[in-house]
Structure formats: structure tokens, C-alpha cells
Amino acid sequence: MSRYARLAFTKNVRAVQEERGSAEAMARLLARDASEPDRLGPDEADFITARDGFYLASTGDDGWPYVQFRGGPPGFVHVLDGGTLGWVEVRGNRQYITTGNLRSDDRVSLFFMDYANPTRLKIFGRAETRDPAEFPELHEKLADLRTDGPLEQLMVIRVEGLF
């Protein structure tokens, strides 16, 4: 969680934590080494691959946030390694807001929920889209379990922080 806190606890967030009495408790999270991105361990990998959906947030070049649900069969989000997630993007409503947003800012936030057992996993990352024809091995790996629909692109997330 060390990197997550460093990314989430901005100057204004720390000011509010101070005003509302949580700064000391949150300081413990900031005290951890945050020089390297957080890593996904076995528990996080199991949690992610058990989910049938998550929320993906990006920011447009005008500064407005955008949140969209991504869904599919459990396991459609693949944990490629301790620092990388990936999935196949299929045609949706054809607005391409997330894909367009990534052209100006690759930072994203993913929110995985287990509603039945109030548990969540929040991830900060850097996203990139990839053409399946240019990355056939990755395409093959991600396509083994994916959402139905016409293939548009591959999405790869490099994890920066998690909580």
C-alpha cells in the first residue's frame, strides 16, 4: 500500500486528514518505502481473477474524470505478473471515451468489488492499448478467457499502487 498512499494522499488530501484527525494514522502508510510500484501478490491475483467485472476510471484532456464498468466471465482480467494486468477489449457502445482519454493521460484507477463479502481492491496504474496483430502472444494469452464480442484491442495496465 505504500505507493498507493503516496499517489492518493496529495497535499490537499493530507490537509483534510489533518483537519479531521486521521493524519497520524495515515502517516504510517506514508512512512513505508514507496520508491517502487506496489506488487500484486497471490491474494490480489486470486481476488482479481474471481471477479466478473470492475470499474475503470480515466481522465480526459479537459480534466473531467470518466468511469466505466468493464464486465465479463470471472477471470477475463488476467494477472500477467506481479505488476501487470491485461484483458481483451471488445466493441461496446463505440464512444471510445477511455481509449481517447488514454491518448493524453495514461493514468487509470481500477476498482474491483466483491459485493457479497464487502471487500474491494483499488489499483492505480498506467494503461496502454495494444493492437492484437502486433502482439500475437499477448493476444493468445488474453483471449483464452474473455468477454464475448468483436475484438477491438488489448488493454495492459502497469500497476503503480494498490490498496
Side-chain angles (χ1 to χ4, degrees), residues 100-115:
N101 286 348
L102 295 178
R103 289 188 175 182
S104 62
D105 190 340
D106 68 348
R107 293 175 297 171
V108 294
S109 183
L110 290 74
F111 200 89
F112 293 88
M113 289 293 303
D114 178 352
Y115 291 103

Side-chain angles (χ1 to χ4, degrees), residues 43-112:
D43 291 341
E44 291 86 8
D46 289 346
F47 187 80
I48 290 167
T49 57
R51 307 281 66 81
D52 64 357
F54 68 98
Y55 298 94
L56 173 65
S58 61
T59 304
D61 54 2
D62 58 2
W64 284 102
Y66 178 70
V67 179
Q68 185 168 30
F69 181 78
R70 292 287 201 270
F76 82 100
V77 176
H78 295 73
V79 178
L80 300 173
D81 59 44
T84 315
L85 301 173
W87 65 89
V88 170
E89 291 267 292
V90 299
R91 181 169 296 149
N93 61 17
R94 300 183 66 175
Q95 293 179 354
Y96 302 110
I97 296 172
T98 299
T99 300
N101 286 348
L102 295 178
R103 289 188 175 182
S104 62
D105 190 340
D106 68 348
R107 293 175 297 171
V108 294
S109 183
L110 290 74
F111 200 89
F112 293 88

